[in-house]
Amino acid sequence: MKIELRVNDRDVSWDCEPHEFLTEVLRRNGLTGTKRGCESGDCGACAVMLDGREAPSCIVLAAQAAGHEITTIESIGSFEAPHAIQEAFVDRTAIQCGYCTPGMVIAAKALIDRNPAPSEREVRRHLAGHVCRCTGHVKPVAAVLEAARGMEGES
Amino acid sequence: MYLSLEHYERPSTVEECLRLLHHPDEEAAILAGGTELNVRGHEALERVVDIQGLGIDRLRVDRGEVRIGAGTTLARIAEHRGLAEPPMAALREAALAFANVAIQNRSTMGGRIMIDRPDQDLPPALAVLGARLRLAHFDRAEERVREVEIDYPTRDGARAALEGALLLEVIIPVDGTDASALRRMGRSAVDAPLATVAVAIRGDRVRVAANMQGSTADSLRLLEKTEALASAWLSRRPEGWRDEARASLAAELEAYGDDWASGEYRRDLGTTLGVRALAVLFGEEELS
């Protein structure tokens, strides 16, 4: 089947099977920053923004995303021009192996877009669905708080 | 994982949706947010019918009622300003407590109601708030859609009314409810609850309901003896009310099974949560 959606500010028309999940279709189309993880919506590695809200792409059928706007980690920042959230993750050494990092950055972006000055409690709530196998769960909270402070007044 | 899925449908009318669901030769299922259906394994399911095009995702607070479309996400329920007042606190707490933020952004009110499992926060909240459900059935004999309204199923066998139906809307009366609260606990912040207790003051009565993971099939319980005690305490509360409430809750909550945690552990947890929820109602603890 053919699905039409908007991905990273670009209208696309992609082929997919009815049973395929969004993670697979994104990755097949070159957006490999979205990671495969638990495939049950529990670990956060596959997080994307769907219409501006964080969504677990591993349990969203690609067909369900038709007609919607998807933002993946590729459009948040680049190696040459990282986003303030990504810079804060680096500055705070909130990255170990890096597998869970795209999902955490997506979660942070979705949070800060809606709430530019989140409390630590809110940051923890939004990162709670992101599992880091390297057990780095403290520094990402500090990084998101630092990024939010640094971005104040931007939006 | 889907092993046989060949058709994804997104109907734009309730009638079209029900016709697709009752296709005589194929196994079909309703797809809402996908946080349950898309996670489970399906060997034979051939068709999913996505309800996102039906326009049943609206939330209104109007004329003494809250009307929540079945497709409304838990995130929208948690964020809605009209639900931030004390009467709807149990509902808001149930929406906020479920899994993680990404799942709350996808999971829908309808999906949560149609899943008949004891590890759910919403059923006790809906039970104490006196929710009603608006359902659509397809009448094959007359070839037309029929809508019915039922009380939220809290009794043995009452869920049979949901069989084959499309849930359209949840209707919760606001007038007559003074306050509500919900306390739940899981192993971690994102785990399903081991026990959930919801309470509400409606008119001159206190309502108390509990859900216990690993409990029996009809796990949602209305705790009528504790309700009677707590209702009497609305006019005058004895000094040792917590001890009396604890004893009553412990007697009414069943210590059953050893799934996830022992039955005794869940009963004691439910008892503590029940006392704390009542303390919120009585103004002795703060809403979270």
Side-chain angles (χ1 to χ4, degrees):
Chain A
M1 64 187 290
K2 192 75 103 178
I3 56 169
E4 293 184 359
L5 62 165
R6 191 163 174 81
V7 179
N8 297 339
D9 295 324
R10 204 164 53 90
D11 292 323
V12 299
S13 179
W14 285 343
D15 290 314
C16 72
E17 297 296 328
H19 63 264
E20 278 190 300
F21 289 99
L22 184 58
T23 309
E24 294 310 315
V25 176
L26 288 169
R27 291 178 63 83
R28 188 165 68 233
N29 285 280
L31 299 169
T32 54
T34 302
K35 304 302 184 198
R36 290 190 195 101
C38 63
E39 300 188 351
S40 59
D42 293 318
C43 80
C46 68
V48 297
M49 286 163 68
L50 194 156
D51 295 339
R53 287 178 179 268
E54 183 193 354
S57 66
C58 70
I59 59 167
V60 176
L61 287 177
Q64 283 180 281
H68 293 278
E69 187 163 343
I70 304 297
T71 304
T72 71
I73 190 67
E74 283 83 358
S75 79
I76 304 293
S78 64
F79 188 78
E80 294 77 19
H83 189 275
I85 296 169
Q86 293 167 314
E87 285 188 334
F89 267 68
V90 174
D91 291 345
R92 287 279 182 169
T93 54
I95 301 167
Q96 293 180 68
C97 83
Y99 199 82
C100 66
T101 311
M104 289 197 187
V105 171
I106 287 283
K109 177 79 165 58
L111 168 62
I112 294 171
D113 282 354
R114 300 177 79 82
N115 178 3
S119 65
E120 180 175 334
R121 188 178 178 193
E122 287 165 325
V123 171
R124 286 182 180 276
R125 192 173 98 76
H126 281 255
L127 291 184
H130 292 263
V131 180
C132 170
R133 287 188 65 176
C134 312
T135 70
H137 285 110
V138 174
K139 290 179 176 178
V141 175
V144 176
L145 288 168
E146 182 175 294
R149 281 193 297 272
M151 291 164 66
E152 264 179 333
E154 276 186 20
S155 53
Chain B
M1 181 182 289
Y2 295 98
L3 298 181
S4 308
L5 189 66
E6 291 182 11
H7 307 285
Y8 166 89
E9 312 277 1
R10 194 187 292 186
S12 55
T13 68
V14 169
E15 180 172 338
E16 188 188 355
C17 177
L18 286 166
R19 282 182 187 277
L20 287 165
L21 281 171
H22 296 114
H23 193 286
D25 304 322
E26 288 176 345
E27 188 177 326
I30 297 173
L31 175 62
T35 56
E36 281 291 325
L37 192 73
N38 286 348
V39 175
R40 282 187 270 133
H42 304 280
E43 288 186 11
L45 189 62
E46 293 170 74
R47 184 185 296 270
V48 290
V49 183
D50 187 341
I51 62 166
Q52 68 172 289
L54 300 182
I56 54 171
D57 57 353
R58 299 187 183 100
L59 198 167
R60 292 177 288 148
V61 183
D62 190 24
R63 295 181 196 168
E65 287 181 334
V66 177
R67 288 181 168 261
I68 304 172
T72 307
T73 63
L74 300 185
R76 283 196 52 220
I77 293 168
E79 291 165 4
H80 198 280
R81 286 183 184 181
L83 303 182
E85 299 299 319
M88 292 297 118
L91 179 67
R92 184 171 177 275
E93 189 69 26
L96 268 173
F98 184 65
N100 59 56
V101 168
I103 296 288
Q104 288 164 20
N105 286 336
R106 298 291 304 164
S107 186
T108 64
M109 171 63 105
R112 288 292 113 204
I113 287 174
M114 298 306 277
I115 297 158
D116 190 14
R117 278 210 325 251
D119 61 339
Q120 304 270 339
D121 295 309
L122 269 173
L126 294 171
V128 298
L129 291 170
R132 301 193 310 278
L133 308 181
R134 189 160 65 88
L135 308 169
H137 291 272
F138 191 71
D139 186 329
R140 284 239 165 261
E142 294 190 23
E143 281 286 299
R144 72 183 190 91
V145 173
R146 284 184 183 279
E147 288 189 16
V148 292
E149 241 181 66
I150 63 166
D151 289 335
Y152 184 75
T154 55
R155 302 288 173 194
D156 290 358
R159 287 191 66 89
L162 302 181
E163 281 292 313
L166 175 67
L167 175 61
L168 300 174
E169 192 174 45
V170 179
I171 305 157
I172 303 172
V174 180
D175 290 351
T177 302
D178 293 332
S180 69
L182 180 140
R183 285 289 180 267
R184 54 95 74 186
M185 194 162 285
R187 286 182 167 184
S188 79
V190 295
D191 272 333
L194 291 167
T196 305
V197 181
V199 295
I201 301 174
R202 296 182 57 217
D204 58 358
R205 281 190 68 193
V206 173
R207 306 304 310 270
V208 183
N211 227 357
M212 311 280 277
Q213 187 175 157
S215 188
T216 49
D218 291 308
S219 64
L220 175 63
R221 286 158 192 281
L222 297 174
L223 308 180
E224 292 173 351
K225 288 175 184 163
T226 307
E227 286 184 350
L229 268 179
S231 298
W233 294 336
L234 284 176
S235 50
R236 187 181 157 277
R237 211 158 44 253
E239 203 168 302
W241 75 265
R242 285 175 187 250
D243 292 336
E244 281 189 57
R246 194 179 305 281
S248 177
L249 286 158
E252 286 197 276
L253 291 170
E254 187 182 19
Y256 178 88
D258 286 309
D259 188 17
W260 282 87
S262 72
E264 289 77 13
Y265 178 85
R266 277 195 307 274
R267 182 189 58 199
D268 287 357
L269 184 60
T271 299
T272 300
L273 294 171
V275 172
R276 290 183 55 202
L278 287 169
V280 174
L281 271 198
F282 298 147
E284 295 184 14
E285 263 192 39
E286 286 186 8
L287 281 169
S288 57

